[in-house]
Amino acid sequence: METLVRMSNLKKYFQTSSGMVHAVDGINMEIKKGSTLGVVGESGCGKSTLGRLLVRLLEPTGGEAYFNDQNIFALNKAETKKFRQKMQMIFQDPYASLNPRMTISQTIAQPMKINKIYDNNKDILLRVEELMETVGLAPRYENSYPHELDGGRRQRIGIARALSLNPEFIVCDEPVSALDVSIQAQILNLMMDLQDKMGLTYMFITHNLSVVKHISDEIAVMYLGQCVEKCESKELFKNPLHPYTQALLNAIPTPVLKGGRDRKIIKGEITSPIDPKPGCRFAPRCPYVQEGCTKGEVEFKEVSKGHFVQCILY
């Protein structure tokens, strides 16, 4: 499959009074055209920051990101505006990401007006009606405001707005985490149907492994700004290699009528993301820690076809 998005040693640090927070630290990944890359990890691991870097809502501290072999961060202001038509984002909070003073039709139409996609308002309104039908919003909501709708419908508005410029790539930043389970399934199925119909490519950010298993072709596991494991979705659940990935999968709730199962509880202190020392950042919590884990940087390497891991055990 053709590579659509490629990241090379991508970094984003934030200055604090205590030092530099390494939010994203040396990410090397590829996303295939027409596929979904799921990005998982606990809160604060840098998932959302990575997504915001790719759509250039944040500027990188170092490294590069390419879209169709074009360096995203080398674009000037005019080129960036044109580029953003190809890459869009669906935000986590379906209420905070919408303007409360704009109706649903105004919200969906705004990107088309800013980018001058159509010459007249009639064509814009026809496109708004088409997008509302595509994402499952009834025409009667056209003049409603966000506060008048539930979470599921608000998120459908966010999806329609992201689709309004006919993008090739969409960063989905935990788009279902604020929704009820039944609504989550509807939104996930909608996004998968849209991907099949329009040939979209997704980066799907979440902390829910059950969700990412349902929608992703490949999964990348992040820990404290670094990608510690990446492979196909089925391979990750069948053969997790990194101790952190194993602990994450072990933490998935499983209904058991009698007895239970042994759980691998992660112990130890979380490494500070502020100016971290060289070596594996999971080492203080790892049950298999060795002397070499803290000697220097651990290589992110391919241990089998398409299966990458950052661990000296392999």
Side-chain angles (χ1 to χ4, degrees):
M1 291 177 70
E2 181 185 350
T3 298
L4 183 68
V5 179
R6 177 166 56 88
M7 294 155 264
S8 176
N9 198 30
L10 192 57
K11 299 178 181 179
K12 179 61 182 177
Y13 302 162
F14 295 98
Q15 181 67 56
T16 69
S17 58
S18 302
M20 298 292 285
V21 174
H22 292 218
V24 172
D25 202 1
I27 297 294
N28 295 285
M29 284 196 293
E30 294 182 352
I31 305 175
K32 303 297 183 184
K33 192 170 186 178
S35 69
T36 299
L37 173 68
V39 181
V40 299
E42 58 196 56
S43 297
C45 70
K47 306 185 299 294
S48 296
T49 303
L50 179 63
R52 288 169 182 267
L53 282 170
L54 289 182
V55 295
R56 210 170 173 183
L57 290 177
L58 295 172
E59 293 298 313
T61 303
E64 297 170 332
Y66 296 88
F67 180 83
N68 278 332
D69 293 325
Q70 185 176 28
N71 190 348
I72 294 168
F73 305 118
L75 303 176
N76 60 33
K77 190 175 181 179
E79 290 170 335
T80 300
K81 184 179 179 181
K82 190 174 182 180
F83 150 79
R84 282 202 172 121
Q85 296 180 28
K86 301 177 182 178
M87 295 179 79
Q88 289 290 300
M89 189 165 185
I90 301 170
F91 296 92
Q92 178 176 358
D93 190 332
Y95 187 62
S97 62
L98 302 176
N99 189 332
R101 294 178 179 271
M102 294 176 69
T103 65
I104 306 314
S105 60
Q106 289 172 337
T107 298
I108 299 172
Q110 188 182 35
M112 293 183 278
K113 289 182 178 179
I114 291 173
N115 289 278
K116 299 178 181 178
I117 303 298
Y118 296 101
D119 296 327
N120 56 71
N121 287 332
K122 184 179 179 181
D123 289 339
I124 292 176
L125 289 175
L126 287 173
R127 177 62 174 155
V128 168
E129 291 172 2
E130 180 187 341
L131 287 166
M132 288 181 67
E133 182 180 354
T134 299
V135 300
L137 282 169
R140 67 178 184 274
Y141 296 121
E142 193 174 45
N143 295 313
S144 301
Y145 289 88
H147 73 272
E148 298 177 296
L149 305 178
D150 59 33
R153 289 190 177 92
R154 288 175 194 156
Q155 197 59 285
R156 289 174 190 269
I157 298 164
I159 295 171
R161 180 176 59 184
L163 293 173
S164 63
L165 298 177
N166 295 313
E168 296 178 47
F169 177 67
I170 300 178
V171 174
C172 311
D173 187 8
E174 302 198 37
V176 297
S177 64
L179 307 177
D180 293 337
V181 175
S182 58
I183 306 299
Q184 285 185 15
Q186 293 176 21
I187 297 299
L188 288 172
N189 290 332
L190 169 64
M191 294 180 68
M192 293 170 72
D193 290 342
L194 291 172
Q195 184 177 41
D196 292 338
K197 188 185 299 184
M198 301 179 181
L200 297 169
T201 305
Y202 292 144
M203 172 187 271
F204 196 93
I205 298 166
T206 182
H207 58 261
N208 189 326
L209 285 161
S210 300
V211 167
V212 83
K213 182 181 181 181
H214 180 67
I215 197 171
S216 301
D217 298 294
E218 290 188 303
I219 298 176
V221 181
M222 287 188 67
Y223 185 78
L224 288 180
Q226 296 183 331
C227 181
V228 296
E229 188 165 1
K230 179 180 180 287
C231 62
E232 290 186 357
S233 179
K234 291 181 180 178
E235 171 70 10
L236 188 85
F237 282 84
K238 180 182 177 182
N239 183 32
L241 298 181
H242 198 280
Y244 177 64
T245 307
Q246 294 170 4
L248 282 181
L249 295 178
N250 191 255
I252 298 175
T254 304
V256 179
L257 296 178
K258 290 184 179 181
R261 66 171 182 170
D262 294 330
R263 295 198 178 274
K264 298 177 182 178
I265 300 173
I266 302 177
K267 300 178 181 179
E269 292 294 324
I270 299 175
T271 303
S272 173
I274 299 175
D275 297 324
K277 296 177 182 178
C280 177
R281 296 179 186 177
F282 187 63
R285 308 172 73 191
C286 181
Y288 312 110
V289 64
Q290 301 175 15
E291 186 180 348
C293 295
T294 54
K295 290 287 186 182
E297 295 298 339
V298 182
E299 184 185 357
F300 184 67
K301 56 189 175 182
E302 189 174 19
V303 295
S304 61
K305 188 177 180 180
H307 198 150
F308 297 83
V309 66
Q310 188 183 55
C311 184
I312 67 168
L313 296 176
Y314 306 97

